[in-house]
Amino acid sequence: MSFPVSLIPPEPKAHAALQVAARAERLHPGDPVYDRLSAQIREKAGVVIEATGPKSEKEFTARLVAADHARDQAFTALALAAQARSLMSAEPDQQEKAQHLHGRLVPDTLGFLYDSMHAESTVLTERLAYLESPEGAALVADLRLTPFVENLKARMAAYDASYADRAARREERPEQLWAAAAPLDRALRALHAVLVSQEGAETARAVFTDLEPLLGAARAARTRRATPDRE
């Protein structure tokens, strides 16, 4: 006799499994076999419950979005400063240099700042590379735009750090929910088999009583999905 626990959705199954483990422990307090089987169920249920929780990188995504907004503002400030200097008629030489620099920074529009973060990163990396080239660095120095460039570099570095933090957190995500449920299923089946063998089917059913209604609901849902709608 087996108990088809794999039919039950992972989240309610994990919470019910904790009750199953508690009943098994109370059946024979201190028994090493039941204690070990119950401990395995608790451990595997914990993994499933963790996997059903809020995604752990949510706050890191919020920080990444804020960092992206900050670098947008930094680049916009630099572009506006270059544009302002390009309009200074009192210094023709500076005006010409500023026009050239602004043309390199904004060859068309600032629309790329509203593109995907990856695409924006590619463009900003290219623009920063120009600003740090001999020609670009000389223009920045002549136009007294160094503070704006340093601010942009700092904001871009902060964005890169936030992106790396979120990527690392994603690597720490719990297993996918159904994959995490498989070890729990094995632990529950092991306990059920021992109970049936040593205590009998009725005792096994009493220990697994919290899973019975969940199994019934899962079977009913499966039947509904398999039955075509009829007018």
Side-chain angles (χ1 to χ4, degrees):
M1 177 182 179
S2 63
F3 193 93
V5 291
S6 61
L7 296 178
I8 305 172
E11 183 174 8
K13 174 168 54 187
H15 289 284
L18 297 177
Q19 299 303 317
V20 170
R23 285 196 178 87
E25 290 169 339
R26 290 196 297 270
L27 191 63
H28 292 292
D31 185 292
V33 173
Y34 287 99
D35 284 351
R36 184 178 71 256
L37 291 171
S38 297
Q40 289 177 347
I41 290 173
R42 291 182 188 281
E43 176 191 348
K44 307 309 180 185
V47 173
V48 174
I49 291 170
E50 181 184 357
T52 64
K55 297 307 180 187
S56 59
E57 76 271 8
K58 183 177 180 180
E59 64 181 271
F60 289 82
T61 298
R63 294 178 191 172
L64 181 64
V65 171
D68 177 55
H69 182 61
R71 70 175 182 170
D72 291 351
Q73 290 181 317
F75 184 83
T76 300
L78 171 61
L80 290 175
Q83 184 180 39
R85 283 161 174 71
S86 73
L87 300 174
M88 295 172 61
S89 58
E91 301 180 59
D93 181 58
Q94 294 289 87
Q95 184 178 12
E96 184 178 344
K97 290 179 179 180
Q99 287 173 345
H100 179 70
L101 178 60
H102 185 264
R104 289 299 303 265
L105 293 176
V106 191
D108 37 40
T109 70
L110 291 173
F112 75 91
L113 295 175
Y114 306 99
D115 204 341
S116 71
M117 291 184 185
H118 295 292
E120 179 183 337
S121 294
T122 299
V123 175
L124 286 177
T125 298
E126 182 272 326
R127 303 286 158 84
L128 183 60
Y130 171 73
L131 292 169
E132 294 181 325
S133 70
E135 177 186 297
L139 289 173
V140 167
D142 288 347
L143 296 169
R144 300 182 295 280
L145 294 173
T146 299
F148 292 93
V149 174
E150 292 300 317
N151 181 52
L152 174 62
K153 290 169 62 176
R155 299 306 178 188
M156 288 176 64
Y159 171 86
D160 290 342
S162 293
Y163 185 88
D165 285 345
R166 190 181 69 161
R169 182 52 60 97
R170 281 184 167 174
E171 290 298 318
E172 296 171 3
R173 270 186 179 181
E175 301 174 64
Q176 291 297 318
L177 192 51
W178 286 93
L184 174 60
D185 292 348
R186 290 194 290 269
L188 287 167
R189 290 193 194 101
L191 174 62
H192 191 269
V194 170
L195 285 169
V196 171
S197 174
Q198 297 186 3
E199 309 295 334
E202 287 304 314
T203 298
R205 184 170 184 174
V207 172
F208 275 66
T209 186
D210 290 280
L211 288 170
E212 287 282 0
L214 297 177
L215 179 59
R219 281 172 167 161
R222 192 176 189 181
T223 300
R224 287 195 298 272
R225 289 194 298 270
T227 304
D229 293 334
R230 295 181 179 178
E231 294 295 336

